[in-house]
Amino acid sequence: MARPPLVPPGPELDRTERTRYARHLLLPDLGSTGQRRLRAARVLVVGAGGLGSPALLYLAAAGVGTLGIVDDDVVEATNLQRQVVHGDADVGRAKTASAADAVHAVSPLTTVVEHRERLTADNALDVVADYDLVLDGADNFPTRYLVGDACARLGVPHVWGSVFRFDGQVSVWWAGEGPCYACVFPRQPPPDAVPSCAVGGVLGAVCASIGSVMATEAVKLVTGVGEPLVGRLLVHDALGQTWDALPVRADAACRVCGSGADATRPLGWASAREDDGSADAGPADPRPTVTALGLRDVLARGDVLLVDVREAGEREVVTIPGSAWLPMDGVRAGTPDDPLPGLDVPRGGPVYVVCKTGARSAEAAALLRSRGVEAVDVEGGVLAWVRDVDPSLPTY
Ligand SMILES: [Zn+2]
């Protein structure tokens, strides 16, 4: 569904601007009015890293009038493989300063606001409130959830991307218009459940693919051109060179934008894990678990072992794509040296276990933990997957 432009047009373009943006002015629907909207727009880019780099360069080149850049890091040599706003000579400089120079080199007409700070529950609302929309290329979950919460509370569109190894995901979260980030990813994963790019690696050019989609979505939202990625999660596999758009829905009970929201709570509260002490949603649960929606996020990143402990006939009815199979008898036969007979247990990473509703997988997870394997139980089992992730699948 097309949406009205986010930003009203500023004054007429001058002669220099008409030349500079000539290829935009030729575009159907965008034209000089769209260009005036871009010049009037205030866009916040969180993270001057792998995703922020291409997004900043293309937004600057597109003529966005004001770009805010949030980052509290300095440029390191390991960043240069993908963070193309920074050059070799920038190592050791503040990323905001280096990125601001790169923006100005492309577009002297763009005003840059440097936010050399980390977003926190105390400052995120104030920072975000100054902008028309936010591009979130943060490399850590606490910042993503803070940005998501702040955008949802302020009704600001949240153009989000993430990359890992050869994969990327991108969407536009927008409370009131479609799902917010927490509608689809309600809880922060345990710190070790999802490896970061620093641990798992990332192909630099995948950042360009996802970051340029983010810039495109920002231009579309500002100018009201086309159909934004609201309610769709775009999943990119660079090895297979595929892009899949998964429909995602707002959760009426969402603790950030739905009936479960509580504006008196600090930002980030709703998505905090219940066992990390920062949420008081109930007694601490020592067993690591993941929801079906959380599992989908984990699987989309690839390279995880999901073990289905149900019987053969149950798998005939319905299976979670990509799951390995070892029925409970096989799990029980394991030993500390061979915790899952016949399956390769990933070194370091957790093993996810699933059954029909969660009872058998809880037992399997406990057995695995007793053998020294970090195990995460899928809440509600395959039935929760069918209900929450893919209702087109059969159930039993
Ligand atoms: Zn929500």
Side-chain angles (χ1 to χ4, degrees):
M1 185 176 82
R3 283 170 172 76
L6 206 57
V7 180
E12 290 293 336
L13 304 176
D14 65 22
R15 188 164 174 274
T16 308
E17 289 170 315
R18 298 190 74 81
T19 302
R20 188 179 190 95
Y21 304 116
R23 298 298 182 276
H24 272 176
L25 305 191
L26 294 169
L27 287 175
D29 300 330
L30 201 146
S32 64
T33 306
Q35 195 61 48
R36 287 159 56 199
R37 297 185 194 280
L38 287 168
R39 190 185 52 195
R42 300 177 58 84
V43 176
L44 182 69
V45 176
V46 179
L51 296 172
S53 288
L56 283 165
L57 293 176
Y58 276 100
L59 292 175
V64 168
T66 302
L67 284 170
I69 307 173
V70 181
D71 209 306
D72 68 339
D73 267 346
V74 297
V75 180
E76 296 178 24
T78 55
N79 301 150
L80 303 178
Q81 161 260 15
R82 65 198 178 283
Q83 301 184 11
V84 295
V85 283
H86 313 300
D88 197 63
D90 295 315
V91 172
R93 295 181 71 201
K95 283 190 176 180
T96 49
S98 170
D101 286 352
V103 165
H104 283 138
V106 171
S107 170
L109 306 177
T110 297
T111 301
V112 176
V113 182
E114 295 180 41
H115 301 273
R116 192 179 171 186
E117 59 194 330
R118 180 167 281 258
L119 289 183
T120 67
D122 293 327
N123 68 12
L125 278 176
D126 286 342
V127 172
V128 170
D130 239 5
Y131 294 89
D132 299 306
L133 82 164
V134 176
L135 268 70
D136 175 14
D139 62 356
N140 65 85
F141 283 101
T143 301
R144 287 179 193 156
Y145 279 93
L146 278 176
V147 173
D149 280 18
C151 288
R153 284 200 196 179
L154 294 165
V156 169
H158 175 199
V159 182
W160 164 91
S162 77
V163 288
F164 182 68
R165 293 188 173 160
F166 300 97
D167 301 321
Q169 301 179 60
V170 53
S171 189
V172 175
W173 314 116
W174 197 354
E177 300 282 333
C180 81
Y181 181 50
C183 285
V184 176
F185 303 112
R187 296 279 181 186
Q188 296 195 35
D192 300 330
V194 182
S196 67
C197 291
V199 174
V202 60
L203 183 69
V206 174
C207 301
S209 301
I210 299 296
S212 80
V213 172
M214 293 169 72
T216 302
E217 291 304 301
V219 169
K220 287 162 58 184
L221 287 162
V222 166
T223 60
V225 170
E227 190 166 325
L229 270 177
V230 175
R232 287 179 294 157
L233 174 64
L234 203 54
V235 177
H236 175 47
D237 166 12
L239 289 182
Q241 206 56 273
T242 56
W243 293 84
D244 293 313
L246 310 177
V248 284
R249 282 186 290 266
D251 174 5
C254 175
R255 301 216 299 176
V256 169
C257 75
S259 61
D262 182 350
T264 65
R265 298 284 189 179
L267 286 185
W269 166 81
S271 58
R273 291 179 301 114
E274 293 180 9
D275 59 351
D276 72 359
S278 59
D280 57 0
D285 182 353
R287 292 184 304 114
T289 60
V290 65
T291 63
L293 287 167
L295 177 67
R296 180 184 60 184
D297 186 25
V298 169
L299 292 176
R301 290 164 198 280
D303 211 24
V304 294
L305 177 60
L306 170 65
V307 183
D308 185 340
V309 300
R310 297 173 303 152
E311 301 304 311
E314 297 178 88
R315 278 179 66 85
E316 297 268 334
V317 179
V318 56
T319 58
I320 297 176
S323 57
W325 180 45
L326 187 66
M328 275 311 293
D329 279 351
V331 176
R332 292 189 188 104
T335 64
D337 286 332
D338 188 13
L340 287 167
L343 297 177
D344 283 330
V345 177
R347 208 182 281 269
V351 172
Y352 293 80
V353 284
V354 66
C355 63
K356 182 181 181 184
T357 59
R360 283 169 288 176
S361 63
E363 182 194 343
L367 281 170
L368 286 172
R369 282 191 285 272
S370 75
R371 296 168 191 159
V373 176
E374 191 185 343
V376 180
D377 187 10
V378 179
E379 291 174 15
V382 171
L383 295 189
W385 177 275
V386 174
R387 185 189 66 224
D388 297 334
V389 176
D390 190 353
S392 72
L393 290 174
T395 188
Y396 70 107

